[in-house]
Amino acid sequence: MESPRATSGSRRARRRGRPRRRALLYVSLATVAVVGATAAGTVYVKAHAHGNAVSSAASPAPSSSASAAASEEASVEPVTEPAVDRDALLSSAMGKVTVPSAAKVSAAVLDLDSGDSAAYGDSAFDTASIVKVDILATLLLQAQDAGRHLTATEKAYATKMIENSDNTSASELWDIIGKATGLDAANKRFGLTGTEGGDGALWGLTQTTAADQLTLLQQVFGDDSKLSEASQAYIQGLMKTVESDQRWGVSAVADGSEFALKNGWLARSTTGLWDVNSIGRVTVDGTDYLVAVLSKGTVSQAKGISLVEAAAKAAVGSFTEAESSASASASASQ
């Protein structure tokens, strides 16, 4: 397990996680068929007019009754465009990542603006220290249930656990939440389905999936959360201020300092191989993404970090490249 070294958060507008909708269009006078090409496919829109279509300028003027009928508004019924297969795009992008022999990697991404998400790989991984976010989220949920604030001691432990990845602090809070029993109970409420707390004091051997870590991140950064806004802001603030030598992993994708994260790294005593994981929120070209990358089986921590960062870039790239292609196609069709 890594050894120890050395609040406030904000919500985006409530549009996060809501799928984009095309506006309802209105046309008058005629029955129209509209066909538009998009990057995702072809969209068909049917317009219904009430009454007769207006004749050409060379035709006789319509009767007053026809004019009245033609003046009624015609509604256009939008047909949902074919969805982009995000999982396929992510799988393709991850297939280009060089994975060392015997190593494995899994990733999951969510675009907070559109609500689109994708996951690659469903294997279980050791959490190592990324479970510290889950431990703190559990502690805050339990405190909410009890109608209390964290104590000064709990806050001190939480700060050191997240910012410095201090293991002693994590062990103290692990005991306070009721170890795996408390963690698993909170995770059931959070919506995690593939995560199981580590045995006894072994919180770092909690088992999880990339998809579950994405669900956890939604509890920390999303709108529809079991955590209060104050609890979310507290965790976000700590994840934004991890110590400088731990700012690797998913942050490799971010624009400048626009990220909040927690990393985990652990050399397994049975094999000598490393678990290296990274979870967090990054901002790329003005869009916020939640990203979780899990890995195991690298021969060193450095190799694991390189793998996680390459996977994070590929995963987010599968979203940004799709958006760029969609914009280019839309411009070309105009």
Side-chain angles (χ1 to χ4, degrees):
M1 204 75 62
E2 65 266 31
S3 58
R5 308 184 182 187
T7 57
S8 65
S10 63
R11 279 178 178 262
R12 292 175 62 88
R14 291 283 172 178
R15 64 193 177 91
R16 281 184 182 167
R18 298 176 183 171
R20 295 188 178 96
R21 295 286 188 269
R22 293 186 180 275
L24 182 65
L25 306 178
Y26 292 92
V27 297
S28 57
L29 307 182
T31 299
V32 184
V34 180
V35 179
T38 69
T42 301
V43 178
Y44 296 89
V45 181
K46 184 188 296 180
H48 300 286
H50 302 282
N52 298 320
V54 177
S55 59
S56 66
S59 302
S63 66
S64 58
S65 59
S67 297
S71 64
E72 295 180 23
E73 281 191 330
S75 62
V76 176
E77 300 173 357
V79 178
T80 304
E81 63 186 80
V84 175
D85 190 341
R86 294 289 185 182
D87 286 335
L89 291 175
L90 176 57
S91 180
S92 177
M94 293 295 291
K96 299 174 185 177
V97 175
T98 300
V99 180
S101 177
K104 290 185 177 181
V105 66
S106 183
V109 185
L110 169 71
D111 179 334
L112 277 172
D113 287 341
S114 69
D116 290 344
S117 65
Y120 171 81
D122 56 5
S123 297
F125 291 74
D126 300 327
T127 56
S129 280
I130 60 171
V131 75
K132 291 170 181 175
V133 173
D134 204 358
I135 292 172
L136 181 52
T138 298
L139 177 67
L140 288 165
L141 185 64
Q142 291 177 349
Q144 286 176 201
D145 290 344
R148 70 174 184 87
H149 297 291
L150 298 189
T151 66
T153 298
E154 288 170 338
K155 287 182 178 180
Y157 286 146
T159 298
K160 292 178 68 177
M161 178 178 71
I162 300 298
E163 292 185 345
N164 310 114
S165 205
D166 182 67
N167 292 331
T168 299
S169 296
S171 294
E172 293 289 345
L173 293 182
W174 180 249
D175 290 341
I176 289 173
I177 67 171
K179 301 181 179 178
T181 300
L183 188 83
D184 292 346
N187 282 341
K188 184 176 181 180
R189 293 169 64 185
F190 289 148
L192 280 66
T193 59
T195 299
E196 183 177 355
D199 293 336
L202 301 177
W203 45 261
L205 295 185
T206 294
Q207 297 296 293
T208 195
T209 63
D212 260 17
Q213 288 304 299
L214 197 63
T215 299
L216 177 64
L217 289 172
Q218 287 178 271
Q219 291 294 313
V220 176
F221 295 99
D223 290 330
D224 185 15
S225 175
K226 299 297 183 182
L227 298 174
S228 67
E229 290 190 23
S231 293
Q232 286 183 299
Y234 183 64
I235 304 177
Q236 291 172 22
L238 295 178
M239 292 177 71
K240 290 177 181 177
T241 53
V242 298
E243 64 182 53
S244 58
D245 64 343
Q246 295 179 23
R247 297 184 180 186
W248 47 262
V250 298
S251 59
V253 189
D255 294 339
S257 60
E258 293 297 316
F259 62 85
L261 59 73
K262 183 69 192 81
N263 297 323
W265 58 102
L266 169 66
R268 295 304 308 269
S269 59
T270 54
T271 63
L273 300 177
W274 284 76
D275 298 325
V276 180
N277 307 318
S278 185
I279 61 172
R281 183 187 67 189
V282 299
T283 302
V284 183
D285 296 332
T287 298
D288 285 342
Y289 297 92
L290 301 182
V291 188
V293 181
L294 311 179
S295 78
K296 59 184 175 183
T298 54
V299 296
S300 67
Q301 181 186 356
K303 292 288 187 182
I305 291 174
S306 295
L307 174 58
V308 164
E309 291 186 341
K313 291 176 181 178
V316 176
S318 72
F319 277 69
T320 58
E321 290 170 11
E323 291 298 327
S324 296
S325 296
S327 297
S329 296
S331 297
S333 66
Q334 291 177 354

